[in-house]
């Protein structure tokens, strides 16, 4: 009895184990796995684990894996999509017969899309004592109808990069020419190499290294360095050197050079990081890419798209797989007035600073400058990078996109907020008997300082004309922190500026709040933790001209004028402030702007930057101005380090030069 039970148990166990074993894999399941690897381009796995024995005998690993990878790389494949045709559920697959299953293959290339269908053959084979289905590999997996003796022909044609123009059609970034300086192998003397090296700020060893390349032979021109057209005078000094020559080459040109350098940026070979970020977008390591400014910001629009042909040559017959024509990049027109920008840039005289100008009626940005600048083409070629990096004035620092304490230029906005809120009576005078300093009981060592002892009583007109910090401290306390914060937020503080070019947000404080009376009064006259970018500063002054409206700042000509902020100031109060700002020039601290040719109105401002423990520090000077009789634009300018130049009065002199020379 025990023997019978043991036999029954063994039999049941065998049946149970048999039921637990996997069902034999089908050809469509096996091909499904293969297709998944194909879509991931796992060519090594496809070769090692899925190829038939005959495929491995016919094609080497190099032919299957490396060749497939190389072709896909050369034609810049992307968006690959391989899928099987639908198989009937009751389909049977005899193991002693090849299985054929259709697949659809589609992908994009630099020359256009490719799509085709073919049948894949699978063979049931034994490997390592196990049976499975394996794929019979063909070269036509790579391209349609590709056979072992065929030749793949690839050719590409580059489009032309789009260009940048100002509002008047003046070129800012265009496809021009430059110079390629080189030597004639076998003809250049050691003396000539030495003089050339000195002129190009390189070493003779670098020249020798170029001459030692494998392709070089006597009589050939060997390139040494590219030069932008503005440096063509250098070529005159090289013309007499034996064995030294140059060629004209295509090169990006920036006709306004340093004046628009931070705005335009430049193009240079794509970096490894950019290439990684742009994976799948058709870039190669040989492409040029915007490295700063609008060249980078608008790169996708400016960038040309290469055209090309992918063909298969079978003997004398050539069959085109796919082709497309190159597409030129898009040329873009800016709202910038390049001549006005150059005038403003030259007025700054290479001093560290920034300037912006806006049309108050449309919001169009006419000037967006940072000083000092750099030669965009030279920087793209790597010329002078070390010198720029070591320059204490930081010519590669973009100051117009940064934010700075606006100093007393903020008083106009504080006054506008108080007038609109009803906390400020412009005709009510305040008696200030404290001389040049004032402190409220309970403030301890904190005190407010003014530079001019205004005659009592001090009203809004005197407060603005003589830039009286004590007056604005008193009206800020009357206004209160909540009202000031709400007012500043209505002017665009603590929000992203709706502008094409990324700008640092203007802030009320580091936390967006005002935590003490000391911070409240500091904020009222543009100190403390308040920061404002130069374009926002110019835009806010539009309210005085437009009776309370700020237009959305525009940079591209294609953009339509749009109101950004409105209802900020009544016509009556705007008229009042226009009168006061004109008197800032005729009677106040902006006397250099009091000229016969233009009725300039505006506000000066000085922001002192002191470190802890310092009695005085570096000063940034500001002046925001417009023509009272013809307010075509509002200009704001900031110059760093004006403490020994007359402060913001000095900046008013520079802005006046712009109005005179526009």
């Amino acid at each position: 009895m025990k023997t019978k039970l043991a036999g029954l148990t063994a039999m049941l166990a065998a049946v149970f184990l048999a039921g637990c074993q996997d069902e034999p894999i089908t050809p469509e399941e096996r091909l499904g796995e293969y297709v998944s690897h194909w879509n991931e381009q796992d060519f090594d796995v496809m070769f090692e684990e899925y190829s038939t024995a005959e495929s491995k005998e016919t094609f080497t690993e190099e032919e299957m894996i490396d060749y497939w990878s190389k072709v896909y790389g050369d034609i810049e494949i992307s968006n690959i999509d391989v899928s099987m045709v639908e198989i009937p559920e009751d389909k049977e697959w005899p193991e002693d017969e090849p299985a054929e299953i259709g697949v659809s293959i589609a992908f994009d290339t630099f020359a256009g899309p490719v799509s085709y269908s073919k049948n894949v053959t699978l063979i049931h084979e034994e490997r390592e004592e196990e049976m499975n289905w394996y794929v019979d590999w063909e070269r036509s997996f790579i391209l349609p109808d590709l056979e072992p003796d065929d030749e793949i022909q690839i050719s590409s044609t580059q489009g032309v990069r789009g260009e940048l123009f100002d509002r008047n059609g003046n070129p800012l970034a265009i496809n021009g020419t430059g110079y390629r300086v080189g030597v004639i192998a076998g003809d250049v003397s050691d003396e000539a190499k030495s003089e050339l090296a000195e002129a190009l700020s390189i070493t003779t060893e670098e020249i020798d290294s170029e001459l030692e390349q494998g392709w070089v032979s006597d009589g050939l021109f060997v390139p040494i360095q590219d030069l932008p057209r503005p440096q063509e005078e250098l070529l005159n000094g090289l013309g007499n050197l034996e064995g030294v020559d140059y060629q004209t080459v295509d090169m990006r040109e920036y006709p306004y050079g340093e004046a628009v350098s931070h705005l335009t940026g430049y193009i240079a070979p794509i970096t490894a990081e950019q290439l990684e970020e742009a994976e799948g977008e058709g870039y190669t390591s040989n492409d040029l890419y915007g490295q700063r400014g609008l060249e980078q910001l608008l790169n996708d629009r400016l960038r040309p798209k290469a055209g090309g042909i992918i063909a298969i040559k079978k003997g004398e017959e050539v069959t085109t797989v796919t082709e497309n024509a190159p597409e030129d990049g898009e040329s873009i027109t800016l709202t910038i007035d390049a001549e006005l920008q150059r005038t403003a840039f030259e007025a700054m005289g290479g001093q560290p600073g920034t300037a912006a100008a806006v049309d108050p009626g449309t919001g169009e940005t006419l000037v967006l400058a940072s000083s000092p600048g750099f030669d965009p083409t030279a920087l793209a070629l790597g010329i002078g990078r070390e010198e720029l990096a070591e320059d204490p004035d930081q010519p590669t620092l973009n100051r117009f996109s940064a934010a700075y304490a606006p100093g007393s230029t903020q008083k106009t906005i504080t006054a506008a907020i108080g007038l609109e809120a009803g906390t400020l009576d412009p005709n009510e005078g305040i008696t200030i008997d404290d001389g040049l300093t004032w402190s409220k009981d309970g403030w301890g060592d904190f005190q407010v300082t003014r530079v001019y002892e205004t005659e009592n009583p001090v009203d809004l007109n005197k407060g603005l004309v003589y830039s009286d910090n004590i007056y604005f401290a008193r009206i800020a306390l009357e206004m209160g922190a909540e009202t000031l914060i709400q007012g500043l937020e209505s002017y665009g503080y603590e929000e992203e500026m709706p502008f094409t070019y990324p700008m640092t947000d203007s802030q009320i404080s580091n936390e967006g709040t005002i935590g003490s009376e000391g911070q409240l009064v500091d904020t009222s006259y543009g100190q403390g933790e308040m920061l404002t970018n130069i374009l926002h500063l110019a835009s806010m002054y539009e309210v005085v001209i437009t009776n309370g409206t700020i237009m959305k700042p525009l940079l591209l000509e294609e953009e339509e004028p749009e109101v950004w902020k409105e209802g900020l100031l009544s016509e009556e109060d705007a008229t009042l402030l226009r009168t006061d700002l004109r008197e800032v020039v005729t009677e106040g601290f902006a006397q250099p702007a009091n000229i016969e040719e233009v009725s300039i109105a505006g506000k000066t401002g000085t922001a002192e930057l002191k470190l802890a423990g310092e009695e005085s520090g570096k000063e940034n000077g500001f002046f925001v101005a417009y023509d009272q009789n013809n307010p075509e634009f509002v200009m704001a300018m900031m110059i760093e380090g004006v403490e020994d130049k007359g402060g913001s009065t000095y900046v008013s002199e520079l802005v006046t030069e712009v109005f005179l020379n526009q």
Side-chain angles (χ1 to χ4, degrees), residues 13-312:
V15 171
F16 175 77
L17 289 173
C20 290
Q21 290 179 345
D22 292 336
E23 291 291 328
I25 193 168
T26 62
E28 65 262 34
E29 290 172 334
R30 185 70 166 158
L31 183 57
E33 296 173 2
Y34 187 80
V35 164
S36 296
H37 289 295
W38 194 340
N39 283 315
E40 295 297 325
Q41 300 181 47
D42 295 332
F43 302 129
D44 53 345
V45 176
M46 297 164 71
F47 174 77
E48 292 292 342
E49 300 181 16
Y50 291 86
S51 295
T52 62
E54 184 177 352
S55 295
K56 290 187 175 182
E57 290 175 3
T58 305
F59 302 99
T60 65
E61 180 177 352
E62 179 179 306
E63 287 178 304
M64 287 184 63
I65 300 176
D66 296 345
Y67 182 70
W68 203 344
S69 298
K70 184 179 186 307
V71 172
Y72 272 16
D74 289 346
I75 65 177
E76 299 176 23
I77 191 171
S78 62
N79 302 321
I80 184 169
D81 182 14
V82 183
S83 59
M84 292 192 304
V85 299
E86 189 172 341
I87 308 295
E89 291 184 6
D90 58 351
K91 174 68 175 175
E92 295 184 0
W93 303 99
E95 295 181 351
D96 58 346
E97 296 179 11
E100 286 199 356
I101 302 176
V103 295
S104 296
I105 306 163
F107 48 79
D108 293 327
T109 73
F110 79 95
V114 175
S115 61
Y116 60 104
S117 299
K118 71 173 284 71
N119 287 334
V120 175
T121 301
L122 293 93
I123 308 295
H124 200 250
E125 294 182 351
E126 182 179 358
R127 188 171 302 174
E128 297 178 357
E129 299 183 357
E130 289 186 6
M131 299 299 295
N132 210 333
W133 293 93
Y134 293 90
V135 174
D136 192 16
W137 191 78
E138 300 176 19
R139 282 206 174 191
S140 54
F141 288 7
I142 301 176
L143 289 174
D145 301 322
L146 182 66
E147 297 177 345
D149 293 331
D150 294 346
E151 176 187 343
I152 300 175
Q153 296 183 336
I154 301 171
S155 61
S156 64
T157 307
Q158 290 297 321
V160 177
R161 187 173 179 86
E163 299 176 315
L164 296 173
F165 298 92
D166 86 334
R167 65 190 299 110
N168 299 311
N170 293 314
L172 301 177
I174 58 173
N175 302 309
T177 56
Y179 305 98
R180 181 159 293 162
V181 180
V183 296
I184 307 301
D187 293 347
V188 62
S189 65
D190 289 342
E191 182 181 354
K193 282 193 289 185
S194 179
E195 292 188 40
L196 177 62
E198 183 177 357
L200 299 180
S201 300
I202 60 175
T203 64
T204 55
E205 287 77 14
E206 289 176 271
I207 298 176
D208 288 335
S209 177
E210 296 298 325
L211 287 167
E212 290 167 2
Q213 296 179 89
W215 61 270
V216 175
S217 61
D218 288 352
L220 292 180
F221 175 82
V222 180
I224 301 299
Q225 189 176 101
D226 288 349
L227 294 177
R229 190 141 47 144
Q231 295 192 21
E232 60 187 348
E233 290 184 7
L234 179 61
L235 299 175
N236 298 329
L238 302 175
N240 297 324
L241 297 180
E242 184 179 358
V244 175
D245 201 359
Y246 69 90
Q247 302 172 344
T248 301
V249 294
D250 293 337
M251 191 176 294
R252 193 73 160 174
E253 285 192 59
Y254 302 90
Y256 283 84
E258 295 185 11
V260 297
S261 56
H262 290 280
L263 181 61
T264 61
Y266 61 91
I267 58 172
I270 190 169
T271 65
E273 182 179 358
Q274 288 169 333
L275 188 59
E276 183 178 352
E277 290 177 353
E279 184 178 0
E281 297 178 19
Y283 287 97
T284 71
S285 58
N286 297 320
D287 285 334
L288 296 174
Y289 197 96
Q291 299 301 324
R292 294 174 65 103
L294 293 175
E295 289 277 33
Q296 182 176 19
L297 186 68
L298 302 176
N299 189 76
D300 288 344
R301 294 179 61 181
L302 296 168
R303 170 199 178 197
K305 295 181 180 178
I309 299 176
I310 300 172
I312 296 175

Side-chain angles (χ1 to χ4, degrees), residues 631-657:
E632 294 182 317
F633 63 86
V634 179
M635 171 159 285
M637 181 181 290
M638 184 278 291
I639 299 294
E640 297 177 10
V642 296
E643 57 273 11
D644 297 323
K645 300 175 182 178
S648 56
T649 299
Y650 168 70
V651 184
S652 72
E653 181 180 345
L654 304 184
V655 174
T656 301
E657 291 180 24

Side-chain angles (χ1 to χ4, degrees), residues 369-418:
S370 178
S371 175
F374 54 85
D375 182 339
T377 307
L379 195 57
L381 298 173
I383 300 172
R385 286 186 181 177
E386 291 185 6
E387 291 84 349
L388 289 173
E390 295 171 358
D391 191 325
D393 287 338
Q394 298 178 279
T396 59
L397 174 64
N398 185 354
R399 290 172 166 86
F400 71 66
S401 65
Y404 301 84
S408 292
T409 57
Q410 190 65 29
K411 290 172 180 172
T412 304
I413 309 306
T414 300
I417 292 170

Side-chain angles (χ1 to χ4, degrees), residues 446-463:
F446 179 82
Q447 58 184 16
V448 178
T449 302
R450 58 181 177 174
V451 297
Y452 181 80
E453 189 170 348
T454 313
E455 181 181 346
N456 282 317
V458 182
D459 58 10
L460 177 59
N461 176 269
K462 290 180 181 178

